[in-house]
Amino acid sequence: MEQRIWTPIKEMDGSNTLVWGEKPEVLPEQAFISLTRGEGLNLIQLFINQVLTLLVMIQMKKAPGLLYAELNGELKKWKGNGQTMTVWDGKLMPKFRNHNTHGFAMKFFTWIIHRKNTKNYYLTYSANETIPTVPEVREILRKYGKFYDGGVLARKAGPPKYEKDKKSS
């Protein structure tokens, strides 16, 4: 079995991304993508986010069905943004999401990250044979993601529709 590691990448926009594994060229038909993004986090929120993210990264290495992951972050004018993308084979993400470190982190994030100063986005959808880039993830989340503005639900998620999806509906 191949040993996957976290690799740092400096993005063109000045942000930094940690990548786990190599981006698959071909995805299984049942693959899906899970995206999250927090914007406007203050330094205390960023510190807590970083600690919990490091713990979740350890759990991610052992998660069955995880094909690929990207964690992106940026700090500008004392405010930070954090974005994650995980690509899964099948429906194995709920077991990962709801248990162990990630389960704890989700509960804690709700309390510490959903504040008046933040905007938060969440979305899980069928991969449709493509994995978005870091800027594409940001745009997909802003357009389709479940959106919390200042800790208040402002919009429910509405996953993107692709040509294949439209024809079969």
Side-chain angles (χ1 to χ4, degrees):
M1 183 174 166
E2 109 190 57
Q3 179 68 22
R4 294 187 247 184
I5 60 169
W6 287 100
T7 306
I9 297 173
K10 183 83 168 162
E11 299 291 340
M12 297 296 288
D13 64 2
S15 66
N16 293 293
T17 301
L18 281 175
V19 174
W20 185 74
E22 291 186 31
K23 194 177 272 193
E25 292 181 31
V26 178
L27 292 173
E29 191 174 316
Q30 70 278 10
F32 70 101
I33 296 174
S34 180
L35 308 173
T36 64
R37 182 172 175 83
E39 297 178 348
L41 284 67
N42 62 38
L43 293 178
I44 293 169
Q45 290 169 314
L46 284 171
F47 176 76
I48 293 168
N49 181 59
Q50 183 63 31
V51 169
L52 290 173
T53 297
L54 290 171
L55 294 172
V56 170
M57 286 169 63
I58 294 167
Q59 182 185 355
M60 289 173 87
K61 288 182 179 182
K62 302 172 190 171
L66 180 61
L67 301 173
Y68 179 74
E70 288 183 357
L71 308 175
N72 176 270
E74 61 186 332
L75 178 64
K76 292 181 180 176
K77 298 182 182 177
W78 301 101
K79 294 284 183 180
N81 303 322
Q83 177 173 290
T84 65
M85 175 178 64
T86 53
V87 181
W88 297 86
D89 182 3
K91 297 287 184 181
L92 296 171
M93 198 241 182
K95 184 176 181 186
F96 166 81
R97 179 190 61 212
N98 299 332
H99 295 90
N100 301 323
T101 306
H102 193 274
F104 169 77
M106 279 184 11
K107 291 174 185 158
F108 199 75
F109 279 150
T110 301
W111 175 69
I112 196 73
I113 302 298
H114 287 203
R115 298 295 203 190
K116 290 180 182 178
N117 62 307
T118 64
K119 296 183 183 315
N120 300 280
Y121 304 86
Y122 306 92
L123 181 64
T124 299
Y125 67 98
S126 173
N128 196 41
E129 301 174 1
T130 60
I131 298 174
T133 63
V134 169
E136 289 171 337
V137 167
R138 180 175 45 245
E139 294 311 310
I140 289 168
L141 280 166
R142 287 180 177 163
K143 187 172 183 179
Y144 301 105
K146 184 180 201 179
F147 173 47
Y148 288 86
D149 190 359
V152 176
L153 180 62
R155 180 186 67 223
K156 292 184 178 182
K161 296 285 185 194
Y162 297 102
E163 278 307 309
K164 188 168 75 172
D165 297 336
K166 289 178 184 173
K167 290 176 185 171
S168 64
S169 326

